[in-house]
Amino acid sequence: GYSIVSYGTDWFSIDTGYGDIKGCYHSVMMPAGREPPGTPEDFGSMFFGGRVAVFNSGKHFDYARVDIGTQWNCQWYYRHALLVRGPGAAPYVVLLDDANYRSSMLHYQWLLNSEPGNRVEVNPETERVVIHGREHRLELAWSHPAPGDYPVPHRLEVAQDAIDSFPLSDRIGDVNYFQGKDGEPRPLGGGRWGAGLRPRVKATLWGYNGLLLTALVPRRGDEAPVAVERLGAMGHFGMVIHLDGVTDTLVASPIDRHMELGGMAGEAQLAFVRRDQAGNVLCWAAADAYTLTLDGKPVLPRQGHALNMAEG
């Protein structure tokens, strides 16, 4: 999972501090809302970590794909992260979660732990969330498989709550992790390991699998909210984000890579294009891609093997 998202002096997604080991203290998606099976219920270590399968830093984009299926005891679970740094707009982050826990109807709980003092505003009808900092804000928007793609449509519920850090009193004879031995027994009390009480975003996806595309867009306090439209077609889905003077289109096709949506056609798991107000392409990217066409013009000729990331 990712830990840090900031803009200016405001911190929106944070590392919650030493001692907050469990998944609920981090910005992750938890299949069935459960802790990873390799994590003891008491204060302990994560025995199975993730594996960075791909990392690529380009001119306008940074991309990573992490295999965390073993960590979460899933049939598969990949988290894709795309940092968009293209011309015409401030940088922002895109996440694609692709998980299959048990091939049955259940829920996936997407979490974001935010900085103490931030305010979370939730709109359940539009399924949008805004995190307000001191001077700036972070706008969150999601997209998931369209109705008709599965026997029971995917459904997203957005909410917010507050969570505190790991209490010292939960384990009296705590382990001294700096010395590698048991420390002195700690008295019962209200002491905490980490950052303390903080707001948390909870987006619960109900469906046969955990296919969820997330945009995390920072904005200055004086900037207008971004407009977001969802896209959906058989087997793939995405969104259009209207920023200041540019329009970004994101399409995800994690199952079979086939995409034909938002002016894009080709074979890729994740694709992005930024256009100006006249419709001209300013930049594009495709991850785990064989080929890509934008508005009928080939930009990535067919490859003999999937490219980790291509951009232009």
Side-chain angles (χ1 to χ4, degrees):
Y2 66 96
S3 292
I4 308 296
V5 176
S6 65
Y7 188 52
T9 58
D10 286 310
W11 297 83
F12 298 109
S13 176
I14 65 168
D15 186 290
T16 59
Y18 183 80
D20 286 341
I21 295 291
K22 298 174 71 174
C24 62
Y25 296 124
H26 295 276
S27 297
V28 296
M29 189 174 76
M30 300 173 62
R34 298 172 181 169
E35 292 292 328
T39 305
E41 282 303 312
D42 58 352
F43 184 69
S45 301
M46 168 61 68
F47 298 143
F48 300 100
R51 180 179 67 88
V52 178
V54 172
F55 177 78
N56 192 95
S57 182
K59 181 179 180 181
H60 297 309
F61 305 89
D62 294 336
Y63 169 72
R65 182 173 74 249
V66 181
D67 182 352
I68 48 179
T70 301
Q71 184 180 45
W72 291 93
N73 196 24
C74 289
Q75 297 190 45
W76 70 81
Y77 185 178
Y78 299 97
R79 169 165 272 195
H80 305 251
L82 184 71
L83 173 62
V84 179
R85 298 183 282 102
Y92 68 93
V93 175
V94 175
L95 296 175
L96 170 62
D97 288 292
D98 172 14
N100 186 296
Y101 187 47
R102 289 292 178 267
S103 292
S104 58
M105 189 71 182
L106 49 81
H107 73 281
Y108 295 80
Q109 193 171 76
W110 190 99
L111 302 175
L112 185 150
N113 278 255
S114 195
E115 175 80 358
N118 287 348
R119 179 174 61 86
V120 178
E121 179 184 355
V122 176
N123 189 328
E125 293 183 1
T126 61
E127 297 174 356
R128 293 282 301 275
V129 169
V130 180
I131 304 176
H132 296 273
R134 296 170 181 83
E135 298 179 354
H136 311 292
R137 66 185 188 274
L138 182 71
E139 300 189 17
L140 287 82
W142 291 273
S143 184
H144 49 73
D149 239 3
Y150 292 88
V152 178
H154 283 69
R155 174 171 56 90
L156 189 69
E157 297 176 354
V158 295
Q160 65 92 22
D161 63 5
I163 186 170
D164 210 340
S165 291
F166 189 91
L168 297 177
S169 57
D170 269 12
R171 184 162 170 177
I172 304 302
D174 218 325
V175 175
N176 186 330
Y177 284 87
F178 298 101
Q179 301 297 325
K181 59 184 181 181
D182 287 345
E184 293 296 321
R186 298 178 182 273
L188 291 171
R192 301 282 166 173
W193 278 101
L197 187 68
R198 57 200 174 275
R200 185 174 65 166
V201 177
K202 299 173 70 175
T204 303
L205 178 70
W206 297 84
Y208 282 99
N209 49 32
L211 294 176
L212 189 62
L213 184 67
T214 308
L216 303 98
V217 185
R219 303 289 281 171
R220 295 195 309 268
D222 59 351
E223 290 180 312
V226 296
V228 179
E229 307 166 39
R230 282 184 178 166
L231 300 175
M234 184 65 69
H236 56 305
F237 55 97
M239 64 177 75
V240 178
I241 304 175
H242 299 277
L243 297 164
D244 306 307
V246 299
T247 299
D248 292 351
T249 303
L250 293 155
V251 176
S253 182
I255 301 299
D256 62 4
R257 296 190 183 91
H258 171 77
M259 57 177 58
E260 193 170 352
L261 196 62
M264 299 185 193
E267 295 177 38
Q269 285 208 35
L270 183 64
F272 172 99
V273 61
R274 172 168 290 173
R275 300 179 177 92
D276 63 16
Q277 291 181 328
N280 301 308
V281 173
L282 299 178
C283 60
W284 61 270
D288 193 21
Y290 284 96
T291 182
L292 185 67
T293 297
L294 298 177
D295 303 326
K297 299 177 181 179
V299 295
L300 178 63
R302 177 165 294 280
Q303 308 294 304
H305 63 279
L307 299 181
N308 290 332
M309 192 185 83
E311 69 168 301

